Amino acid sequence: MHELSLAQALIDQVKLLLKEHNANKVLRISVEIGPFSGIVIDSFEFGYYALIKEEPSFIDSKLEIITPPALYQCVFCGRKFKEDELTKDKRCPFCKDSFLTPVGDGDILLKEVEME
Amino acid sequence: MCEWCGCGQPEEHHGHSHDHNHSKIIELNKSILEENNKIALKNKEHIEALGAVGINFISSPGSGKTTLLQETIKRLKPRTKIGVIEGDIETQRDAQRIREQKVPVVQLTTGGACHLDARLVHKGIHQLEHELDDNNLNFLFIENVGNLVCPASFYLGEHKRVVLVSVPEGSDKPAKYPKAFIDADLFIISKIDLLDYFDFSIDEAKKEALKLNPKLDIICLSSVTGKGMDEWINYLLNLIKKE
Ligand SMILES: Nc1nc2c(ncn2[C@@H]2O[C@H](COP(=O)(O)OP(=O)(O)OP(=O)(O)O)[C@@H](O)[C@H]2O)c(=O)[nH]1
Ligand SMILES: [Mg+2]
Ligand SMILES: [Zn+2]
């Protein structure tokens, strides 16, 4: 359950932003979770809404989660494609090779905060 | 104030903002892990100032991290200086096993958290310094909390990240837990003395892991029979070889 620590880190980061911008209420937070982050989105949301119960300035906030698709790159032909473009047996749609590496993010980014 | 963690320094935030009626929207593009990663980079400097190479061991519970550490210490202690940071949810057991080998060790208990983070390790390095007779090490081994998912998100400032999968766990683990392999430097397939009793395919495990991370080094070993240990010890010694 590292999702809970991540939700806490998010809240801490946004609290600093509130102070910096002289705002006292968070309306919306937009977060991007990379496809290879290993983060369970439900647990992250659950953690966030559990933690903000103790945070008056967050209590009405909405957490928006963006999940970009996983991209794969074929090691042989070098082309990139989305997971749903793979052949049925998980091969490169162009050259049919099976040696594919994931490209894309394993990170979790704070994209936007709306506050007043 | 500690020179390594930089605590007390003002936070920097970069972002554009524009007003929206009464509310204000701030655009950023900032990792939630940035705070952790900043501290991790300080840890790295700190480890280097001790003269050491830092190694972070990640695996599921029971894959053989502590046993491998014990066997590694047996072989390296006569010729190198080793320090160990043990991460566990509750107990001191793993640290005790290392302490019996007369190696400086610090136990970090996470109090429920399933991973070490950079802040904890920062504390751990300071504690470890109290156990050193001079501030000088060749290796700092960090055994993460037994868990193949969560520790993978938290950079600790290590130079090499080692992920272990033991033969009884099955060769599908790389495919099922990609994050742990994408960011690793070395993949150790442990407990290979048990290959006859499980349907573990070394080829499958290697192939799946290399798909995720073509630069990954792979070593197969057993802490019980010692098979593969020479390759592992050489891997470590190469890390501290001076040019
Ligand atoms: N057969 C065999 N057993 C091993 C080997 N290495 C470790 N074990 C056994 O596996 C069990 C777990 O080993 P540990 O070294 O405690 O595993 P760990 O990864 O440190 O476990 P946690 O710290 O709880 O995550 C112990 O009973 C070890 O004796 C090996 O190479 N072969
Ligand atoms: Mg252990
Ligand atoms: Zn291709």
Side-chain angles (χ1 to χ4, degrees), chain B residues 61-67 94 97 143 146 191 193-194 222-224:
Chain B
S63 304
K65 299 181 290 300
T66 311
T67 311
D94 282 357
R97 284 162 66 183
E143 178 178 342
K191 308 194 189 179
D193 55 295
L194 301 177
S222 164
S223 298
V224 169

Side-chain angles (χ1 to χ4, degrees), chain B residues 5 16 36 148 181 187 192:
Chain B
C5 72
H16 307 281
N36 179 78
L148 197 48
F181 295 84
F187 172 24
I192 54 166

Side-chain angles (χ1 to χ4, degrees), chain B residues 187-199:
Chain B
F187 172 24
I188 290 183
I189 299 175
S190 61
K191 308 194 189 179
I192 54 166
D193 55 295
L194 301 177
L195 275 171
D196 287 345
Y197 309 99
F198 292 89
D199 65 347

Side-chain angles (χ1 to χ4, degrees), chain A residues 101 108 110-111 113 115, chain B residues 24 26 28 30-32 211:
Chain A
T101 43
I108 166 165
L110 173 56
K111 300 288 283 188
V113 182
M115 53 177 78
Chain B
K24 193 177 200 183
I26 303 173
L28 312 106
K30 194 174 157 179
S31 173
I32 291 181
K211 271 188 197 175

